[in-house]
Every structure is written in structure tokens, then in C-alpha cells.
């Protein structure tokens, strides 16, 4: 009975270990260092500001501190270390964890990485905005064409009918 309990507990732990290793390796493959450590970086910059002819440099809010990164790294390293983790890819995950922590604790590498993330986000936003504008322009052109055809078909009655139709909708 006790052996069965231990076996079940070991299986649960192995599943848990595999889940952590899978998450780390997936994030590392996508080159997302913050995700490897399981940290959300909501860094937000305001400025530079100029108030009453007094210049204030850029203000950074919600930046993850290096101390926090090290703490998260140590806790995760204990979980993923090949001596503690029974998953077969634990060594690979541990190296991925180490490399991500090395990038995020080095200020120069971290700032370069953050700049790359920001530029990629801007490119994605610009692409999405272009797609939305294209769709909006397409819908507008179709609407104008539809109103033009409706006006030709209905003649002088088109305006009152369209107004009533708009009120009903």
C-alpha cells in the first residue's frame, strides 16, 4: 500500500518536472528569455518630460530588478537541476535557464534584448495597423459603392428610404 503511494507520488512529480522542462525549452527555442524564467516584464517608459522649463529624463516604471531575476533563477534552477529533475531533457533545460539568466542579469545584454523586443513589437503593431486600415478602406469603398447603386435604383426616394433604414437598424 505504501509502495503504491510512493509510486503515484513519483509519477506526479515526474509529470510536474516534465511540464516545467517543456515550458522552459519552448520559451528558449522562441528566444524569449523572460518567459524562460517565468517573469512578466511590463516595463513602461515615460518621457523625457519638460515641466516649467525643467527637464526630467525618461522615467521607467515596472522594470524587473536584477535582484528579482536572480531570485527567480535560483528557485527555478533548484527545480530544473538534473540532480533534482527526473525528466530526460533536464540538462538541456538547465542550460537554457542559465543562458537566459546570464542575458537578463547583464545590463548591456539585457538592454540590447529589450530593444530587440520593443522593435519587434513595433513592427507587429505597424503590420496589424496596416491590415486594419486596409480592411477599413475596403469596407468604406464597398459601402460607398452600395449607397451609390441604391441611390441610382431608388432615384428620388433613396434618401428617405435610407434614413428610415438607418433608424430601423
Amino acid at each position: 500500500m505504501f509502495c503504491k503511494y510512493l509510486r503515484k507520488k513519483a509519477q506526479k512529480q515526474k509529470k510536474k518536472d516534465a511540464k516545467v522542462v517543456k515550458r522552459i525549452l519552448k520559451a528558449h527555442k522562441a528566444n524569449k528569455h523572460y518567459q524562460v524564467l517565468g517573469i512578466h516584464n511590463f516595463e513602461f517608459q515615460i518621457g523625457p518630460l519638460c515641466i516649467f522649463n525643467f527637464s526630467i529624463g525618461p522615467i521607467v516604471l515596472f522594470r524587473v530588478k536584477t535582484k528579482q531575476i536572480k531570485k527567480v533563477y535560483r528557485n527555478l534552477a533548484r527545480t530544473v537541476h538534473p540532480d533534482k529533475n527526473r525528466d530526460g531533457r533536464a540538462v538541456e533545460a538547465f542550460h537554457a535557464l542559465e543562458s537566459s539568466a546570464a542575458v537578463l542579469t547583464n545590463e548591456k545584454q539585457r538592454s540590447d534584448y529589450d530593444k530587440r523586443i520593443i522593435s519587434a513589437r513595433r513592427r507587429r503593431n505597424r503590420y496589424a495597423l496596416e491590415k486594419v486600415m486596409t480592411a477599413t478602406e475596403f469596407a468604406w469603398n464597398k459601402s460607398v459603392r452600395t449607397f451609390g447603386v441604391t441611390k441610382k435604383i431608388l432615384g428620388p426616394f433613396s434618401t428617405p428610404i435610407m434614413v428610415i433604414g438607418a433608424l430601423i437598424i
Side-chain angles (χ1 to χ4, degrees), residues 157-169:
F157 302 108
S158 63
T159 304
I161 291 174
M162 281 192 224
V163 169
I164 292 171
L167 289 173
I168 291 172
I169 293 175

Side-chain angles (χ1 to χ4, degrees), residues 44-134:
F44 183 71
Q45 182 174 339
I46 302 172
L49 300 173
C50 186
I51 302 171
F52 302 116
N53 294 329
F54 182 70
S55 181
I56 301 173
I59 299 169
V60 179
L61 302 173
F62 309 118
R63 183 175 170 89
V64 179
K65 293 178 178 54
T66 307
K67 188 176 180 180
Q68 291 171 321
I69 292 171
K70 288 179 181 178
K71 183 178 179 182
V72 169
Y73 165 71
R74 279 193 302 273
N75 290 335
L76 252 176
R78 278 189 219 115
T79 306
V80 180
H81 195 277
D83 292 342
K84 298 283 184 182
N85 195 312
R86 294 176 183 238
D87 193 88
R89 300 182 306 166
V91 175
E92 190 181 342
F94 188 71
H95 290 305
L97 184 67
E98 281 183 326
S99 66
S100 291
V103 168
L104 294 178
T105 53
N106 183 331
E107 285 301 319
K108 170 92 173 89
Q109 289 179 347
R110 183 177 176 190
S111 67
D112 292 343
Y113 175 69
D114 287 343
K115 285 176 186 173
R116 275 188 282 141
I117 288 174
I118 290 168
S119 66
R121 188 178 303 137
R122 283 185 181 147
R123 276 194 307 275
R124 277 194 315 269
N125 290 348
R126 195 175 314 121
Y127 177 75
L129 183 64
E130 287 172 4
K131 289 295 182 186
V132 167
M133 292 304 292
T134 304

